[in-house]
Amino acid sequence: MSPETVYAFLTRLFPDGTRPEQSPGCDKAPSLPTDVFAAAASLVERCEVYRHVMAFEGVASAAGAPGELVVSPSERQTWMDLGARWRESPKDAAADIQAYWDRLMNAGTARVDGVQGEACPAWWRDALALLVIADEASLGLGFAAPTLHWSELLLRDASYREEAFEDAAAGHIVQTKAPDSFCFRASPYVARVVPKSRAPRVGCTMRTLSHNLALLAPRSSAAVSWLRKASSAQDGGKALNILVVPFPYTIEARCFSGRPVDVAGVDESWGFFDIEQRWLLADGVESADSRAQQRERIVTFILDLVARAQEDVARVDAIVLPEGALDWPCYRKLVEALRERQTTSPLEFIISGASGFRDDPNNFVLTTTFSQTEDGWVAVTNGQAKHHRWRLDERQIRTYALGSALDPSRSWWEQIAVDARRIGLTVFRRHSSFAAMICEDLARSEPCHAAIRAAGPNLVFALLMDGPQLPQRWAAQYATVLADDPGSSVLTLTSLGLIERSNMSRQGQASRTVALWKDGDVGTVPLDLPAGRHAILLTLTSASASEITLDGRKNDDAVSWRYSGHQYVTSRNGI
């Protein structure tokens, strides 16, 4: 089978043409930078052009290898200036963009692969030029930057048409679908493009070749949703105060129940386990009234924690709870209570693990952002199901003292539905976004990890049902990977309830390390919760991070969130 040509690939990427309203085919340059980026970046990736890009000369190449593709300072500046012109006045830049596109189309019969001979083909430079130009033109895309004259057209015609909303209550909107590509003409089943927050400072990959746009795998891979606030994101300069609530504080062994499954021909004994959220029952009594009463208690408890924290810092910006902390009715009640208090106690977002989302019982991470609109304060909630089942083996059953509920001789798999992979990237400040993951999803190398590394969220929250968050344990190791590439700061959080179960079997000093912070600057910070305390108020500050692409473009406006300190919070109500 012969390699695909440049023209054949572009025809597949743009099945309806680049500008079908003007002419068929791909002879016209796409009108939007994101579509141009999808084309140029895909070609650069498939031919591994990024491996040869240099901002200076002098690196020897192996005999017979294509060698260096050196970008001179004047050439780099020309591309950057054209990108800025395209961003500010698209019509004025159109002719120059078309000239680069024409040169790329003149190489239409060139093969798209990484074996090219002794010298870099000329069209590689044209593809790189278009990538850089489109990337520069997209400065601020996805963060409601007012200077992008074409961005509102793009978001209205290409992205918003794929969004769907439902009302959970007055002022509370559930977002059931969101855009997974900012392209207008490029097929998402060939390539997708989303905005980008961070570029890694290590490695020679596609991720180190752009500042503002990320190339993602086709839609058949993990779904990636870019979730904007209902109003413009706030200024990113102030501190971020996060209330970390390691609820539940007690988990009984009888919360776990197993259903053995014997598979013919398989020596290992398996089974499925369920988790009953008995911490959501008032006084442990199973009834509708008991659940309703406990939900009221939990909401009152968290609101009191916010109020107590505000006595110290005046403002709480976010709340985070661990995996499986709440159910959907309780979460919805909490969101609506927080929204009603936005005028006097504004909150930017809340993240929590939950046992359901709308009418879907499953293991979810729920995220809600709060925005002030012309119609008042609005809460927008998204749900993301867990991608991997938790497997409890003999060691873990002993560690968490669950032998009375689960037979240690069996391997027990979490009884959940495994939905399609999806990762949400949520804008919360003008230059910042976050992603949230659930337990096993952090630990498994899978398509969502590639998407996170490509888009580079500034913050990653990992909600766990796990033991103490010690620097030598697995969660800290995986957090280090994301802190290095793409440069995200990571917070892992588990419940005190499961830690207390692990303390029962722990030899030596008991641990109350409910969370762990990791960034590329301060490093690793374990967060312990002293006895008698209910929450940790974690304060982060933003700092400008300098990032340089392989072609030599510098960005001093990237945001790195760093640990600044933490305090302990005690509720007057208890729970």
Side-chain angles (χ1 to χ4, degrees):
M1 184 176 178
S2 31
E4 192 172 31
T5 64
V6 170
Y7 188 79
F9 172 76
L10 293 177
T11 301
R12 185 161 59 88
L13 178 64
F14 299 105
D16 298 323
T18 51
R19 292 202 186 187
E21 73 282 3
Q22 294 185 7
S23 62
C26 300
D27 292 336
K28 296 287 186 180
S31 57
L32 295 178
T34 46
D35 282 319
V36 170
F37 186 87
S42 294
L43 292 170
V44 166
E45 181 180 52
R46 292 188 57 179
C47 293
E48 298 185 342
V49 176
Y50 58 86
R51 296 175 55 227
H52 306 279
V53 175
M54 299 291 295
F56 52 87
E57 297 185 59
V59 179
S61 60
E68 304 167 359
L69 200 166
V70 179
V71 180
S72 68
S74 61
E75 191 173 35
R76 178 169 54 250
Q77 192 62 51
T78 297
W79 297 348
M80 293 173 64
D81 290 345
L82 181 52
R85 187 151 48 95
W86 194 4
R87 181 174 69 245
E88 295 163 2
S89 181
K91 290 183 179 179
D92 293 342
D96 290 331
I97 300 298
Q98 185 62 49
Y100 280 100
W101 188 264
D102 287 342
R103 289 201 291 273
L104 184 64
M105 293 301 295
N106 288 338
T109 58
R111 66 190 189 191
V112 180
D113 60 31
V115 182
Q116 299 288 345
E118 295 184 1
C120 294
W123 70 269
W124 279 14
R125 187 174 296 276
D126 297 320
L128 177 63
L130 287 168
L131 183 156
V132 171
I133 293 165
D135 186 48
E136 291 293 317
S138 301
L139 176 67
L141 178 64
F143 297 94
T147 57
L148 293 172
H149 294 291
W150 48 267
S151 66
E152 288 307 315
L153 170 66
L154 169 66
L155 292 173
R156 183 177 67 248
D157 290 344
S159 298
Y160 284 168
R161 65 180 180 179
E162 297 188 7
E163 292 181 331
F165 301 93
E166 294 178 1
D167 291 331
H172 184 191
I173 298 171
V174 173
Q175 188 168 11
T176 58
K177 192 176 181 181
D180 67 345
S181 180
F182 275 59
C183 295
F184 190 37
R185 297 297 181 193
S187 169
Y189 296 99
V190 179
R192 293 174 297 166
V193 175
V194 296
K196 184 174 183 175
S197 300
R198 296 296 309 269
R201 290 182 281 185
V202 296
C204 178
T205 68
M206 280 295 298
R207 301 187 296 278
T208 49
L209 204 52
S210 62
H211 286 304
N212 306 302
L213 295 178
L215 178 69
L216 302 182
R219 185 172 283 174
S220 57
S221 182
V224 178
S225 301
W226 185 264
L227 306 169
R228 298 197 311 156
K229 291 170 70 73
S231 61
S232 296
Q234 298 183 23
D235 177 56
K238 64 181 182 180
L240 185 70
N241 294 316
I242 302 176
L243 187 66
V244 178
V245 185
F247 179 80
Y249 302 101
T250 302
I251 296 178
E252 303 163 0
R254 59 179 174 163
C255 291
F256 290 76
S257 61
R259 178 173 61 85
V261 176
D262 291 316
V263 181
V266 177
D267 292 336
E268 186 174 12
S269 297
W270 287 349
F272 290 99
F273 72 89
D274 289 295
I275 299 177
E276 180 186 0
Q277 296 169 296
R278 295 187 59 81
W279 52 88
L280 299 182
L281 301 176
D283 302 320
V285 178
E286 175 56 75
S287 70
D289 289 342
S290 171
R291 289 186 177 274
Q293 182 181 356
Q294 186 70 345
R295 287 171 189 142
E296 290 285 353
R297 289 180 179 176
I298 292 170
V299 171
T300 300
F301 170 72
I302 294 176
L303 293 178
D304 186 58
L305 285 174
V306 172
R308 293 300 301 272
Q310 288 173 331
E311 294 174 1
D312 181 38
V313 298
R315 188 189 74 251
V316 173
D317 301 304
I319 302 172
V320 184
L321 294 97
E323 178 182 8
L326 307 177
D327 60 9
W328 169 241
C330 187
Y331 181 85
R332 184 175 60 185
K333 193 173 191 66
L334 175 60
V335 166
E336 290 158 11
L338 291 167
R339 188 192 65 81
E340 291 174 357
R341 289 162 175 75
Q342 283 295 105
T343 301
T344 57
S345 181
L347 191 77
E348 293 184 45
F349 61 87
I350 178 173
I351 303 172
S352 178
S355 59
F357 177 46
R358 298 159 60 229
D359 56 355
D360 183 5
N362 210 344
N363 192 337
F364 279 93
V365 54
L366 305 180
T367 63
T368 299
T369 57
F370 298 89
S371 302
Q372 189 170 23
T373 67
E374 295 178 355
D375 299 322
W377 284 94
V378 174
V380 179
T381 294
N382 292 270
Q384 174 184 310
K386 190 175 182 179
H387 307 150
H388 298 88
R389 293 185 178 95
W390 181 18
R391 179 176 177 265
L392 278 168
D393 57 20
E394 180 179 0
R395 178 186 59 81
Q396 291 176 304
I397 290 171
R398 296 188 192 282
T399 297
Y400 300 125
L402 297 175
S404 61
L406 301 174
D407 181 356
S409 68
R410 288 182 178 268
S411 293
W412 297 93
W413 293 90
E414 184 178 8
Q415 180 67 59
I416 60 171
V418 180
D419 290 346
R421 291 186 178 96
R422 177 176 175 267
I423 192 75
L425 301 169
T426 303
V427 174
F428 69 97
R429 293 282 176 96
R430 187 165 296 164
H431 297 293
S432 294
S433 64
F434 70 76
M437 309 178 76
I438 312 175
C439 205
E440 291 288 304
D441 299 345
L442 173 68
R444 303 294 164 244
S445 179
E446 50 128 67
C448 282
H449 283 227
I452 287 177
R453 288 196 296 272
N458 307 76
L459 287 174
V460 174
F461 297 93
L463 312 187
L464 314 178
M465 187 170 281
D466 189 32
Q469 298 304 286
L470 304 175
Q472 66 269 26
R473 296 193 66 236
W474 68 271
Q477 296 173 19
Y478 289 104
T480 298
V481 174
L482 294 176
D484 289 339
D485 181 359
S488 304
S489 299
V490 184
L491 177 69
T492 70
L493 168 64
T494 188
S495 67
L496 181 62
L498 208 58
I499 288 180
E500 292 288 38
R501 296 205 66 83
S502 70
N503 283 337
M504 296 178 188
S505 59
R506 179 181 296 273
Q507 296 181 353
Q509 186 176 3
S511 173
R512 294 177 65 93
T513 309
V514 297
L516 184 136
W517 171 263
K518 174 71 178 182
D519 65 42
D521 300 287
V522 176
T524 301
V525 182
L527 300 173
D528 294 351
L529 186 71
R533 303 289 189 164
H534 295 113
I536 298 171
L537 186 68
L538 173 64
T539 297
L540 309 178
T541 53
S542 62
S544 296
S546 181
E547 299 171 348
I548 302 178
T549 57
L550 294 175
D551 57 279
R553 289 175 295 132
K554 189 176 182 181
N555 175 26
D556 291 322
D557 293 328
V559 175
S560 172
W561 287 97
R562 300 174 181 174
Y563 170 84
S564 184
H566 67 276
Q567 299 292 329
Y568 303 113
V569 185
T570 307
S571 171
R572 287 164 290 211
N573 299 324
I575 192 168

